[in-house]
Amino acid sequence: MWGGKGITLEWSFFLARRERVGILNDEDLFTMAQREVDIDPVTELYKRDVDRTLISQNLRLSVQQRFEQLMELQRFAEELRLAGKRGKSID
Amino acid sequence: MTDFPGLLSRLASNEVAFIIIGGAAATAHGSARLTLDLDIVYERTDANIHRLAQALQDLEPYMRGAPPGLPFRFDLATIKRGLNFTLSTTLGALDTLGEVTGGGDYQALLAHTIELDLFGVTCRCIDLTTLIRLKRAAGRPKDLEVIAELETIADEQARPTDSP
């Protein structure tokens, strides 16, 4: 019903609910038209939780350094996993 | 754990034509997310399939998650009969894909790659714009956060260097 470029399923449900309860207005339609370009509202919501300081930090590294960091992270993740298996309750 | 230098060196030294995609490509572009495997798209010519099989033959390639002891051989015949393989090797997890959703095969993707020099190896990696497109095309809920991070990386790269 609200399909189209840039209109995700979640956004479609949101707008359909607003229409059903009679609060979909011209402003909503205008906003929807404006956003019907390349902006995915779901992605925009997720972007709020992205840590930009980590991204900025990584972009200062060379590609090789980024992979070396990834491998360190893999080793750390594995160590945490093993520690979790060995872990005991404090009770 | 995945030995990225080892796998990349093995593929490059055997002159395998491949493109890094997936989480490793995201790392190359600046992602902070953990990825546990190397994903590549390989060229599906007979010669390249043979080189791929040669590159991995002594790394004990096996279908990841399959019960042990199956008569699996990652050779020319097997690769030609299949397309995408999720493998475990002695150097870690390697996904070898003949095609990806939303991107096509090696030849279709090649124009959308950048060259990386790392660990003494030169290899091709999918560019950021195409990586985002592939993630969107995959349509998996788990990729929503990945897409958001990749778009943030694109935003940061587009920002003028003297901006705060």
Side-chain angles (χ1 to χ4, degrees):
Chain A
M1 179 167 59
W2 293 108
K5 187 177 176 186
I7 304 297
T8 64
L9 192 61
E10 292 84 350
W11 195 240
S12 300
F13 285 147
F14 169 72
L15 292 171
R17 276 199 301 277
R18 287 173 66 88
E19 186 186 45
R20 268 203 305 277
V21 298
I23 59 173
L24 188 66
N25 54 32
D26 286 344
E27 186 179 329
D28 290 324
L29 291 171
F30 180 70
T31 302
M32 187 175 76
Q34 271 192 309
R35 283 177 157 261
E36 195 179 352
V37 183
D38 283 325
I39 297 173
D40 176 3
V42 175
T43 302
E44 293 301 308
L45 283 172
Y46 275 95
K47 281 169 78 170
R48 291 179 193 175
D49 294 326
V50 173
D51 189 336
R52 286 177 180 261
T53 61
L54 284 179
I55 300 300
S56 298
Q57 198 172 294
N58 281 353
L59 290 178
R60 286 194 281 272
L61 303 176
S62 69
V63 175
Q64 180 163 320
Q65 287 172 325
R66 294 170 194 171
F67 275 94
E68 288 167 352
Q69 181 175 261
L70 171 65
M71 290 188 289
E72 273 304 310
L73 183 56
Q74 283 191 336
R75 276 188 279 272
F76 180 50
E78 179 64 12
E79 193 56 45
L80 281 173
R81 189 185 69 80
L82 292 172
K85 284 178 74 173
R86 293 188 300 259
K88 301 173 190 173
S89 168
I90 59 173
D91 293 333
Chain B
M1 283 172 290
T2 304
D3 182 352
F4 290 99
L7 283 171
L8 291 174
S9 295
R10 183 62 69 97
L11 293 169
S13 64
N14 282 273
E15 298 183 340
V16 177
F18 68 96
I19 299 168
I20 300 172
I21 62 168
T27 295
H29 288 293
S31 170
R33 302 180 69 83
L34 176 67
T35 188
L36 298 176
D37 59 6
L38 174 63
D39 298 332
I40 64 166
V41 172
Y42 65 98
E43 187 180 32
R44 278 186 68 83
T45 59
D46 283 1
N48 197 55
I49 289 173
H50 177 71
R51 288 191 290 265
L52 176 63
Q54 288 285 109
L56 302 186
Q57 67 174 2
D58 61 345
L59 301 185
E60 301 172 21
Y62 195 74
M63 294 177 295
R64 206 156 71 238
L70 297 176
F72 175 76
R73 291 172 58 174
F74 193 68
D75 56 13
L76 178 66
T78 300
I79 301 171
K80 285 192 72 171
R81 278 197 293 268
L83 183 65
N84 299 340
F85 299 88
T86 53
L87 303 171
S88 62
T89 74
T90 54
L91 294 182
L94 173 67
D95 290 356
T96 56
L97 295 90
E99 284 182 10
V100 285
T101 305
D105 62 11
Y106 175 90
Q107 286 300 331
L109 292 172
L110 192 57
H112 305 283
T113 62
I114 58 173
E115 192 172 86
L116 298 182
D117 290 312
L118 68 164
F119 305 116
V121 165
T122 300
C123 52
R124 302 218 68 90
C125 176
I126 202 75
D127 63 34
L128 182 57
T129 303
T130 308
L131 180 60
I132 292 171
R133 179 163 57 85
L134 296 182
K135 288 291 184 183
R136 285 198 178 280
R140 300 178 302 186
K142 73 172 188 174
D143 286 331
L144 290 175
E145 289 183 355
V146 176
I147 292 166
E149 190 201 33
L150 293 175
E151 291 200 356
T152 303
I153 290 171
D155 293 343
E156 289 293 311
Q157 288 179 336
R159 182 188 292 225
T161 51
D162 57 353
S163 295

